[in-house]
Amino acid sequence: LFRSRVAPWQYAATSQLNTSEYQGSDRFGSALVASETGQFMYAGAPGNQTGRVASFVKQSNGDWLENAFLASDHSSTLNYGNALALSPLSLVVAADKSNNSTGQLFVYRERQTTVSQVIAGPEAASRFGAAMCTSKNGQWLYVSATGINRVFAYTWESKVARAQQALAGSPR
């Protein structure tokens, strides 16, 4: 892991996450997100059978401790952890190859370890969840569906993500 030094855009190595639980085929670190404060970090390992996400917390001495891991309990889930989005409100984990590459999102609210919502992809082979991001305030979630060239925008209503708009790419 790297930390910003005195001048912007200068980083120096400060620590490394070592875990013996992951192998090369697990693709540990394929997706990474960290909290704004830098106290929490999540790392996706989508190649581990159905996939999983490791949760890390930064200790007072600067070391990182793996404190939990998240995994889908559905056998049809594939590539869980291929993309991650974190906001003050939630952690969203994508599994873009689930259900014949339709894709699914698993929403965890406020650092919980149980799924509060599952969002299914819009149509077959859409690869929903290939990439994601949230707005800085966490009110918006943007999700790509690369198989159908669309980006979907979601907003939070009563602690549930609701679809607002689909943005379609157009050829040049």
Side-chain angles (χ1 to χ4, degrees), residues 16-63:
Q16 178 178 327
L17 298 176
N18 291 318
T19 178
S20 60
E21 293 182 39
Y22 299 95
Q23 302 170 3
S25 62
D26 293 337
R27 297 182 9 239
F28 174 75
S30 291
L32 301 167
V33 291
S35 64
E36 274 190 40
T37 62
Q39 292 301 115
F40 300 96
M41 188 186 63
Y42 299 88
N48 178 330
Q49 296 174 347
T50 62
R52 66 186 194 173
V53 173
S55 169
F56 295 89
V57 64
K58 191 174 191 177
Q59 304 298 294
S60 58
N61 65 0
D63 289 343

Side-chain angles (χ1 to χ4, degrees), residues 87 89-90 92 102-105 107 117-123 126 128-129 131-135 137-145 148 150-157 160-167:
S87 78
L89 303 172
S90 64
V92 183
T102 297
Q104 289 179 303
L105 304 181
V107 180
Q117 183 181 6
V118 176
I119 303 171
E123 58 187 79
S126 62
F128 183 68
M132 299 183 296
C133 69
T134 59
S135 62
N137 67 3
Q139 290 298 314
W140 290 91
L141 170 67
Y142 302 95
V143 183
S144 72
I148 57 173
R150 290 200 181 120
V151 173
F152 292 86
Y154 290 83
T155 189
W156 295 107
E157 293 178 10
V160 175
R162 299 273 185 230
Q164 293 297 313
Q165 184 175 8
L167 310 170

